[in-house]
Amino acid sequence: MNLKNSKFYKRIQELRRFSKEKIRKDREQRTSARLDMALSEQRPRHESDLEWSSSPRRRSKKTKGKKKAASRLSGGKDTHCSSPVGDEIPPDAGIQSYIQLNDKCYRLACTRQVPVKSSRDDDRSISESKSAICVSNSRYAMIGRISKTLGYKLVKETKLWNILWSDSFPGVELFKNMKRFQQINHFPGMIEICRKDLLSRNLNRMFKVYPHDYKIFPKTWMLPADYGDAMNYALTHKRTFILKPDSGAQGRGIWLTNDLKTIGANERLICQTYVHRPLLIDGYKFDLRVYTLITSVDPLRIFVYNEGLARFATNKYVEPTPGNSNDLYMHLTNYSVNKRNSHYELCDNDDCGSKRKLSAINNWMRRHNYDVEEFWTNVDDVIIKTVLSAWPVLKHNYHACFPGHDKIQACFEILGFDILVDWKLKPYILEVNHSPSFHTNEQVDREVKRPLIRDTLNLVSAVLADKKQIMREDRKRVKQRLLKTKGEALQRPRVCNGSTKTECSPRKVEPEEDQDPLAQQVAWEDSHMGNFRRIMPPPDGTKAEYYSQFYGQTNQVSIFAETAASKKREDLARKMRLQIEEKKAKQDQMLNGRSKTDKRKRQLVILPRAVREKNRVQLYRLQEHWVPGFISEAEERLRHTWLQMRTEAIKTLRITENVYATLYEAGNLTNTDMVVFPHLYQHLQNGFDIKQHT
Ligand code: ADP
């Protein structure tokens, strides 16, 4: 039986149509009632205002159009007021319109939307516009979940995302292809402070120039280059040294010694004086994980999260002696090291446990009469100075990678600063992590990291860029270029060469908005700080002046210009610039419709092919995206267990013997099989059934 022809089915369809119709009518009624309420009803003062049109047919058409426009206006959030016809409309009123309802005429005046809105409006606009975020390159499911709750749409990397959240450092290619509305959670060049050796080099350089200001890290030598210096120091100072692999993490390969002679002259290590009198809580050593958000490098804008983690060692601290210097549970505070100790303490209470919140540490300090405010001012100082030590590179790389990013900042980054505090409450920078762990194994992790991610996503300025408008503008630009005559010079945004000249600032490219995007960003960030505090630019004018000396371009350039590494950096930046210019020139040529031969000629003029190829290879080698991926110990152990289980299964099920015998019987054994498994071959030759026996 055909169900669609049945009476029952037809009746259901009828009822459905009826209810739909009813819902539509109800909605119409509600809309008109709302309009009636929203508009202040008044007879027009001038009858002429009612003269819409001479022909009734046209009038109804016109009225319909106006009505539609008005309902759109009144329905939209832009509508702030209405005024009856004849009323004075303020000169700053943006849009004016007429509507006619029930034989009455109204004039609506709608002010323009203000660029910086209240936080509630903003939150709404996030969810309405559905900014897209790509988290497929992150192993932390929490980031996707929080983004979703904030109204972000999760998309793949191939889609037009607004934010790309990646655990590893992306390649330069990705930076270069980013659209003007896109943001990524890493800055090019942040590796300068995120690798131990580069951090030490930068801080050592700054220490040489500003010896009084840059006492923010333990004395550090990079071996083998500084082997002689370290030995000289060891001869004159009786100190314990801590030795670390130059790009290690999670406490791997770290040991203590007071005899540097035991180190090979060619070993690549970071050697540091050991802070032997750290601040102790309950007799345990600890370090602080301070989460820092950078939203812009030029101008530098740094925010510090008020909550963070204190990670404790799990054996009570005793100053290092040859007897205890092997005790990593006493001297190292890494979670990855201490979680293996049976004394590792999980605790729901704020004042116990091997991982505690910064707020708990602050409370402890207050109870012990330490000046908490002053302490955090010193921590902020350490963070600012650390970032400033790499600032010229950060700024240079940013401008080289994003010459046309004029609407919002192309990057933001959460950094994990590891800070060790000594008994005098002096903070020392130990390490900066560009992808701090967002694992939430413990309650304390969840309480710190979830709000951190949420506040970060609320603070970053991705929502300020209108994706659709930018795409429209870009299309328009392309169209305009296509319409230009061949010989005409194109109006393109200038590629910034990373110099400090203001006319080359990417923000100055084709200003199309009334308000400077940077001003918008500043206003947005300052009104969406959540639990962050802004440390750069500092709220205090005298401090801003103090830090301005470290920006000192001439000084910085002379410090950085001397080494081979700095030359390499310059080289890389130059090549990147060339690539961008080359790419743009190619696009221009294509858009101008030049002939193929012409194009080839131009390419040859730009750079010989061999040079371009060499540059490409060098660039690839110099790229920073080779940073080794994260290896989880737990996953490794699991993999190991699975491998063992597989080997065991192969043995017990006698898979090798079965396959071998089958091949033997079919006459398919190769010479290699006979050489590799001689005993099996021998058994088969002797007539044993190897499928059953050993
Ligand atoms: P990793 O990246 O492997 O974690 P870190 O530099 O962070 O290496 O050092 C690991 C731990 O060793 C730190 O958490 C800290 O407890 C301890 N540590 C490192 N450097 C020093 C130092 N100079 N003085 C005292 N303790 C240190």
Side-chain angles (χ1 to χ4, degrees), residues 196 244 249-251 272-273 275 285 287 332-334 431:
K196 284 196 186 79
K244 318 173 188 182
Q250 301 188 333
Q272 221 170 44
T273 50
V275 179
K285 178 181 173 178
D287 76 346
L332 304 195
T333 50
N334 302 74
E431 197 193 9

Side-chain angles (χ1 to χ4, degrees), residues 39 52 66-67 70 97-101 104-106 108:
L39 306 171
W52 293 94
K66 303 251 179 200
K67 204 168 167 181
S97 181
Y98 296 94
I99 64 161
Q100 187 179 9
L101 268 177
K104 284 165 201 125
C105 180
Y106 304 90
L108 291 179

Side-chain angles (χ1 to χ4, degrees), residues 397-424:
N397 285 10
Y398 183 86
H399 289 309
C401 289
F402 308 105
H405 231 91
D406 56 346
K407 297 284 179 191
I408 51 167
Q409 290 292 317
C411 315
F412 65 93
E413 189 151 7
I414 300 181
L415 298 172
F417 278 74
D418 289 351
I419 307 269
L420 186 69
V421 188
D422 76 0
W423 65 287
K424 288 183 191 160

Side-chain angles (χ1 to χ4, degrees), residues 14 29 72 84 93 97 114 135 141 206 235 253 264-265 289 295 300 494 509-510 525-526 573 625:
E14 219 170 78
Q29 266 175 6
R72 205 170 46 225
S97 181
V114 225
V135 292
M206 293 303 274
L235 282 177
R289 164 57 58 89
T295 57
L300 190 57
R494 278 182 58 198
V509 172
E510 293 182 25
E525 287 175 356
D526 287 349
H625 66 194

Side-chain angles (χ1 to χ4, degrees), residues 183-414:
Q183 269 192 328
I184 189 159
N185 69 330
H186 293 285
F187 279 94
M190 200 54 91
I191 204 86
E192 285 290 320
I193 54 170
C194 294
R195 256 182 64 147
K196 284 196 186 79
D197 49 349
L198 301 181
L199 174 72
S200 317
R201 193 191 59 186
N202 286 326
L203 290 179
N204 273 335
R205 278 209 182 102
M206 293 303 274
F207 181 72
K208 270 182 198 156
V209 186
Y210 308 103
H212 296 295
D213 305 282
Y214 265 82
K215 283 180 189 157
I216 58 168
F217 67 114
K219 262 194 174 310
T220 309
W221 298 270
M222 274 173 290
L223 306 184
D226 299 335
Y227 188 75
D229 288 349
M231 288 300 284
N232 279 342
Y233 184 86
L235 282 177
T236 50
H237 301 77
K238 207 169 157 32
R239 291 292 302 260
T240 304
F241 298 91
I242 182 163
L243 290 129
K244 318 173 188 182
D246 54 1
S247 56
Q250 301 188 333
R252 274 192 288 258
I254 295 184
W255 86 96
L256 307 186
T257 182
N258 42 25
D259 184 11
L260 286 188
K261 282 184 216 120
T262 52
I263 301 165
N266 292 323
E267 283 187 72
R268 281 175 64 96
L269 289 167
I270 301 293
C271 173
Q272 221 170 44
T273 50
Y274 188 72
V275 179
H276 63 287
R277 288 187 71 186
L279 182 69
L280 303 180
I281 294 185
D282 306 335
Y284 293 97
K285 178 181 173 178
F286 66 95
D287 76 346
L288 306 178
R289 164 57 58 89
V290 183
Y291 295 102
T292 302
L293 174 68
I294 301 186
T295 57
S296 161
V297 289
D298 186 22
L300 190 57
R301 291 183 63 76
I302 310 177
F303 299 83
V304 169
Y305 205 59
N306 291 321
E307 195 54 283
L309 293 169
R311 287 101 37 108
F312 283 73
T314 39
N315 283 355
K316 288 219 171 183
Y317 185 77
V318 182
E319 283 195 25
T321 58
N324 72 22
S325 58
N326 285 341
D327 188 350
L328 299 184
Y329 299 136
M330 177 190 288
H331 295 292
L332 304 195
T333 50
N334 302 74
Y335 166 71
S336 47
V337 172
N338 286 286
K339 70 178 177 188
R340 290 195 225 119
N341 191 355
S342 56
H343 296 147
Y344 189 88
E345 208 183 326
L346 288 167
C347 186
D348 285 342
N349 191 329
D350 271 0
D351 292 325
C352 58
S354 297
K355 226 189 240 181
R356 301 182 200 175
K357 286 197 277 185
L358 288 187
S359 49
I361 304 298
N362 289 343
N363 289 338
W364 181 90
M365 285 189 196
R366 277 189 203 103
R367 282 200 302 274
H368 290 79
N369 298 323
Y370 288 109
D371 188 343
V372 178
E373 307 306 319
E374 194 192 326
F375 169 69
W376 282 107
T377 309
N378 293 339
V379 172
D380 293 350
D381 179 68
V382 167
I383 293 173
I384 294 173
K385 283 177 180 165
T386 306
V387 178
L388 280 176
S389 73
W391 184 74
V393 180
L394 288 173
K395 183 188 151 203
H396 187 90
N397 285 10
Y398 183 86
H399 289 309
C401 289
F402 308 105
H405 231 91
D406 56 346
K407 297 284 179 191
I408 51 167
Q409 290 292 317
C411 315
F412 65 93
E413 189 151 7
I414 300 181

